[in-house]
Amino acid sequence: VLNSKYQEFDRFYIYLDGYYGKMEIGNTTNVFNNMKIGADTIALGSGGINSNFIRQVKLQSNYVYILSPNSFISQNFGFYNNSIDANYWNDSKYLTKINYYSPEFFGFQFGFSITPNVKLKKDYLGNNIATSIGYGEEMDLGTFVDYGVSYINTFGNVGLAFSLTGETNISNSLNKKNDVEEDIKSSFDSMEFGMNLNYFGLTFAGSVGYLETNIDVNTPIKSFKSAMKKGEYKTYGFAYEMSDVSVSLTRFESEYKNYTTFEATSYAIEKNVSKGVLAYVEYTDYISSVVSTNKEYSGNSIFVGVIVNFN
């Protein structure tokens, strides 16, 4: 994977794909990220509500937000804020892992991921938050396990797809320190249900996701125990393909209950220039707010680009 920014150029993984399914090992994304279905998966252009625009949004200091539809490990463990170094924005998303995807059975597919020895680094919290709570050491979060099931099928001119994905962290009894087995006290649980419906080039899609933490009061991040305990988000939107032109409108809404909210709406249009070459224009606006103070920031982004597909 090559990327000229954010020190993400050194990601790699290997895979084996055959009769019994597909196995991946390395710095790739997990089953939750790859099997989920929602409005973000039909957004055109750079990806709209789940693209890199969120690296530049303005947020109130020392508060954390849900900025993208995904599991905890794929969205910085839920600690998105305005003081994270951009080079670490997606670091946890590409931790070394093992993924398995089953063959398709009558439209159904199953998958699971294992990400071992996960640690919450100071860089993931952001400088402002890490300094304010005196966080100086890594914190063990155990092993993250992802699972997913999807169904994709067509009925005449109608296409139907849905997915249920989840993630949780567990202790690994094989990990021992001074002959004491690992016992992870802080839990990070994620789940999402998504669905899309397609008819003659018109696709409607949506999803709902839930994030729940139970942070140990004896950890350095105990101050986020109540703030991050329950989070939720939803996506919805549509895309329409008209010969060589396609358009999409997608929206994302999230909230840490009674703590922070984030909303984003993205509009995109793509034009098929030639075989394998697309040009696009994309506009996204957002609002971030803190519930208790009614403090609100809004902004927007415009992306213009060319996509080249070598498949």
Side-chain angles (χ1 to χ4, degrees), residues 99-154:
N99 295 336
Y100 170 75
Y101 301 92
S102 75
E104 292 187 10
F105 302 97
F106 305 103
F108 286 94
Q109 186 178 32
F110 307 89
F112 68 86
S113 296
I114 298 175
T115 310
N117 303 320
V118 177
K119 299 181 184 299
L120 182 64
K121 300 178 181 179
K122 178 179 179 179
D123 297 313
Y124 300 162
L125 298 183
N127 184 62
N128 289 350
I129 290 178
T131 300
S132 65
I133 64 176
Y135 190 86
E137 300 294 332
E138 296 177 338
M139 188 174 89
D140 291 330
L141 297 183
T143 297
F144 275 70
V145 178
D146 291 71
Y147 52 90
V149 57
S150 65
Y151 177 77
I152 302 174
N153 213 336
T154 56

Side-chain angles (χ1 to χ4, degrees), residues 143-189:
T143 297
F144 275 70
V145 178
D146 291 71
Y147 52 90
V149 57
S150 65
Y151 177 77
I152 302 174
N153 213 336
T154 56
F155 304 90
N157 296 319
V158 178
L160 174 67
F162 71 79
S163 67
L164 177 65
T165 52
E167 176 185 271
T168 189
N169 64 318
I170 60 175
S171 302
N172 184 354
S173 60
L174 298 178
N175 287 342
K176 295 183 179 181
K177 188 174 183 179
N178 298 325
D179 291 328
V180 177
E181 293 184 358
E182 180 180 75
D183 184 16
I184 302 301
K185 301 292 186 181
S186 299
S187 63
F188 289 75
D189 295 303

